[in-house]
């Protein structure tokens, strides 16, 4: 079981302590995809990650790459245009819903809210089920405040002004796409990962989607998965 994440700053949390069940581990193990992502991130200029382990241990290598990325960010890492997709896909493929922050945060600082969220939204709408689930896990961290001393983009203008200042950008589009995906996609990982961030109140959606809120709530309450049944009761109270 993975550890339930702390609420990131700026997500509207009230500070009231609540006990959440941990998001379960993924039902399928595709460590090879994450391993390939680590290789791509390792090639970002300015990073000094540990060499790839001879035994192919993605867990240990992942920690080494994340640490190298954090240290490079503290040194004022400048990211190229090509680095965007490497960071975003690593965030999506990271099996840990807390450690993926290490890839989301520098991407936000360098490229802005709009571009990072648009990339995740594209994966939610048109990616594989693994990418859809990973995009939902990564989306969680896109409310983080930008760090002016963090990573920056090589190309001027890459950090869009509207994306840099408006944390609400693309939230409506994401919520609507996530609601549709939760109702129509039967993949367990996709539903588990979407639900914690899914508003289950009609007022969050246009009138033509109100019936899907009722459908999603009923589906979750009757779902055979313990985590989904537990989590929906939290969602309908917030």
């Amino acid at each position: 079981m993975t550890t339930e994440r702390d609420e990131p700053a700026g997500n509207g949390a009230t500070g009231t302590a609540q006990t959440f069940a941990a998001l379960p581990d993924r039902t399928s193990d595709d460590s090879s995809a994450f391993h390939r992502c680590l290789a791509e991130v390792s090639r970002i200029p300015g990073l000094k990650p540990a060499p790839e382990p001879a035994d192919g241990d993605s867990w240990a290598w992942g920690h080494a790459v994340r640490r190298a990325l954090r240290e490079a960010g503290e040194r004022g890492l400048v990211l190229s245009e090509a680095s965007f997709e490497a960071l975003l896909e690593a965030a999506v493929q990271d099996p840990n819903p807390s450690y993926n922050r290490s890839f989301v945060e520098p991407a936000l600082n360098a490229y802005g809210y709009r571009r990072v969220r648009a990339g995740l939204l594209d994966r939610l709408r048109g990616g594989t089920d693994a990418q859809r689930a990973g995009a939902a896990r990564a989306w969680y961290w896109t409310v983080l405040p930008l760090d002016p001393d963090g990573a920056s983009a090589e190309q001027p203008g890459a950090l869009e002004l509207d994306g840099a200042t408006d944390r609400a950008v693309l939230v409506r589009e994401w919520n609507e796409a996530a609601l549709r995906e939760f109702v129509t996609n039967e993949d367990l990982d996709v539903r588990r990962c979407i639900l914690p961030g899914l508003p289950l109140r009609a007022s969050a959606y246009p009138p033509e989607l109100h019936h899907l809120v009722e459908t999603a709530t009923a589906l979750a309450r009757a779902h055979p998965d313990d985590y989904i049944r537990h989590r929906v009761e939290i969602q309908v109270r917030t």
Side-chain angles (χ1 to χ4, degrees):
M1 301 283 282
T2 55
T3 303
E4 187 69 24
R5 300 170 293 193
D6 294 333
E7 293 294 330
N11 70 343
T14 63
T16 302
Q18 296 189 67
T19 301
F20 300 153
L23 180 67
D25 292 331
R26 296 184 301 183
T27 58
S28 59
D29 178 19
D30 188 11
S31 57
S32 61
F34 184 48
H35 205 79
R36 291 191 296 272
C37 290
L38 292 175
E40 290 295 324
V41 173
S42 295
R43 287 192 279 271
I44 291 177
L47 264 67
K48 299 177 181 178
E52 179 180 354
D55 60 1
D57 184 353
S58 293
W59 180 262
W61 198 25
H63 280 301
V65 173
R66 294 185 195 98
R67 182 171 59 252
L69 190 58
R70 182 180 66 252
E71 292 172 351
E74 293 170 352
R75 296 193 303 267
L77 176 65
V78 178
L79 292 166
S80 68
E81 181 67 17
S83 300
F84 174 76
E85 284 296 330
L87 288 173
L88 201 67
E89 191 63 17
V92 167
Q93 295 293 347
D94 194 325
N96 191 295
S98 294
Y99 294 154
N100 58 358
R101 173 179 179 167
S102 298
F103 303 108
V104 176
E105 199 159 17
L108 285 174
N109 289 331
Y111 307 106
Y113 293 110
R114 179 175 297 277
R115 188 166 180 195
V116 172
R117 288 179 173 176
L120 295 176
L121 184 57
D122 285 345
R123 285 163 170 80
L124 179 69
R125 287 171 169 164
T128 65
D129 284 340
Q131 287 177 315
R132 290 183 174 104
R137 294 193 300 269
W139 181 271
Y140 179 92
W141 295 112
T142 65
V143 297
L144 290 168
L146 302 185
D147 182 0
D149 298 320
S152 60
E154 184 178 69
Q155 294 185 6
L159 183 61
E160 298 168 290
L161 293 178
D162 56 349
T165 57
D166 184 3
R167 293 191 197 174
V169 67
L170 296 181
V171 170
R172 179 180 59 82
E173 290 90 335
W174 173 273
N175 287 342
E176 292 179 11
L179 178 63
R180 291 188 176 96
E181 197 67 35
F182 184 83
V183 169
T184 61
N185 192 327
E186 296 182 359
D187 183 83
L188 180 58
D189 287 335
V190 170
R191 282 179 168 165
R192 281 175 171 174
C193 293
I194 285 177
L195 184 56
L198 186 67
L200 288 176
R201 58 185 185 279
S203 60
Y205 304 94
E208 63 269 21
L209 294 184
H210 288 182
H211 70 287
L212 288 185
V213 178
E214 297 176 3
T215 300
T217 302
L219 185 157
R221 281 176 161 161
H223 202 279
D225 182 62
D226 290 342
Y227 174 79
I228 290 177
R229 293 198 311 274
H230 160 81
R231 188 71 208 204
V232 69
E233 299 306 327
I234 295 172
Q235 295 307 108
V236 297
R237 292 199 304 266
T238 58

